[in-house]
Amino acid sequence: MALLSAMVFAGGSSEKGSTSGQFKIAVMFGVGGLGDQSFNDNINNAIVSAKSQMDFAYDYVEPKAVSEFESFLREFAQAKEYGLIVVAGSDAADACSKIAKEYPDQHFMLLDSGAADANVMGVTFKDNESTFLGGYAASLITRRNKIGVIGALDIDVINGFIAGWEAGAKHGNPDITVYRSYCGGFADPITAKEMAVQMYKNGADIIFAAAGGSGLGVFQAAEETGNLAVGVDSNQNPIKPDSIVMSCVRSFTAIMKNAIQNEMDGKLQVGTTLQVGILEDAVDCTFEGSNVPVLQSVKDAVEALKLEVKAGKVAIPSKLN
């Protein structure tokens, strides 16, 4: 396996660092890799931000398939030079758990899934909170009273996004129609585009792309058909600012920085799962960077609803019925 060295620093020290004494982490990104302008890039940007303030280096791999997860993680663990191995995506949970058991002294951070082992820290997001705001906004913006969502896979973490989206839409308008489809993966923009085009033909004028890199196909379909799309994970509005009206975003910045610092200090809370949402400013719905005109009254209504969610006054489902 060729490990791609992302950054090299001088100085620093750690019992788990590289042979030069510098602290190192390893990162296994999700299928689709860097350049997805979504999940993987969001994580990488958080690491780069942490690196600008801290002294560490990192290596990373970009798996092409789920079948590669186990071998990549085993090679990272066998190297015995990484203070922390970051594992991106709930679909890597089984592989992470298996390798964690094989290397009980190695610490892992699993993003998008709960911790199942004593040497793993899990991180989950209350994505249903941000998408609840997004679905609510869409119900106020749509002109046809029909919206949609295209998920990557029919799995719990994606359905958490969708559950919030559909509930938010119904919160804004109980009579709204919400179409739902799955494109089959995180790196298939062609299929996602075909599904989006058909969904637009069926009357939807706003489609939420909960599909990682596949969402780029939804954005293309929105642009070509003159409709609107909604981004996910990172702020994707600038990708096609005339077609993407908003994004349901996550922030990995503080989480990544704190985890690396805690690992350096020997304080990482492995064996636990960190769950974050609107209250922790870890998820949100943003219109920033979009050129699509949205009434100020709609934005104000979304902000008011956000305060209610933050105060725990709104019950938001995390699973589909």
Side-chain angles (χ1 to χ4, degrees):
M1 177 187 68
L3 296 181
L4 306 180
S5 181
M7 295 289 173
V8 179
F9 288 78
S13 62
S14 171
E15 292 181 359
K16 290 187 177 182
S18 65
T19 55
S20 65
Q22 184 181 27
F23 186 85
K24 293 179 68 177
I25 69 171
V27 185
M28 186 180 78
F29 289 109
V31 173
L34 297 176
D36 64 356
Q37 301 182 71
S38 185
F39 180 62
N40 291 312
D41 282 356
N42 199 6
I43 295 169
N44 191 59
N45 290 340
I47 295 172
V48 171
S49 175
K51 170 197 61 69
S52 70
Q53 304 172 56
M54 305 162 65
D55 184 18
F56 68 91
Y58 75 101
D59 295 329
Y60 67 90
V61 288
E62 301 173 75
K64 301 299 182 184
V66 172
S67 59
E68 297 178 328
F69 289 170
E70 192 175 310
S71 60
F72 280 145
L73 291 178
R74 183 173 289 109
E75 291 201 34
F76 275 143
Q78 286 176 341
K80 296 183 179 180
E81 60 180 294
Y82 302 105
L84 182 65
I85 297 176
V86 179
V87 184
S90 62
D91 52 356
D94 289 343
C96 181
S97 182
K98 181 174 182 177
I99 303 305
K101 288 180 173 66
E102 292 180 12
Y103 298 88
D105 294 330
Q106 172 67 61
H107 285 179
F108 297 82
M109 180 166 68
L110 177 59
L111 302 175
D112 247 3
S113 186
D117 299 276
N119 53 332
V120 178
M121 185 183 83
V123 179
T124 61
F125 290 83
K126 297 178 183 177
D127 298 302
N128 58 321
E129 294 183 346
S130 64
T131 59
F132 183 80
L133 298 181
Y136 174 72
S139 75
L140 303 181
I141 296 169
T142 178
R143 297 179 179 179
R144 301 175 189 161
N145 206 31
K146 295 180 180 180
I147 64 174
V149 55
I150 295 178
L153 298 164
D154 186 2
I155 57 176
D156 287 347
V157 66
I158 294 299
N159 286 336
F161 283 93
I162 296 174
W165 172 260
E166 294 183 355
K170 295 292 185 180
H171 184 79
N173 181 356
D175 297 323
I176 196 170
T177 297
V178 185
Y179 300 120
R180 182 201 311 164
S181 295
Y182 301 91
C183 65
F186 294 95
D188 190 356
I190 294 176
T191 299
K193 179 182 177 181
E194 292 172 349
M195 288 184 166
V197 168
Q198 186 59 53
M199 202 173 280
Y200 287 132
K201 286 182 178 179
N202 289 339
D205 55 1
I206 305 173
I207 298 177
F208 172 41
S214 298
L216 298 175
V218 177
F219 305 153
Q220 188 67 34
E223 182 180 55
E224 293 179 5
T225 63
N227 289 291
L228 299 177
V230 176
V232 71
D233 220 301
S234 61
N235 183 0
Q236 297 185 306
N237 300 344
I239 296 175
K240 291 190 180 296
D242 296 328
S243 301
I244 304 176
V245 61
M246 58 186 157
S247 289
C248 300
V249 298
R250 294 168 160 182
S251 176
F252 286 96
T253 304
I255 293 167
M256 194 63 63
K257 180 183 176 182
N258 290 339
I260 295 170
Q261 186 63 63
N262 287 338
E263 180 61 40
M264 287 179 170
D265 297 339
K267 298 178 181 179
L268 188 70
Q269 294 184 333
V270 289
T272 66
T273 297
L274 176 67
Q275 187 177 46
V276 292
I278 283 180
L279 184 61
E280 296 80 14
D281 295 321
V283 302
D284 200 357
C285 176
T286 181
F287 298 94
E288 183 179 356
S290 172
N291 294 336
V292 179
V294 176
L295 295 174
Q296 187 60 47
S297 60
V298 171
K299 295 181 179 180
D300 291 343
V302 172
E303 286 300 313
L305 183 59
K306 184 192 302 183
L307 292 177
E308 291 186 29
V309 173
K310 187 173 283 192
K313 296 180 179 180
V314 183
I316 304 174
S318 58
K319 295 182 180 180
L320 293 173
N321 295 327

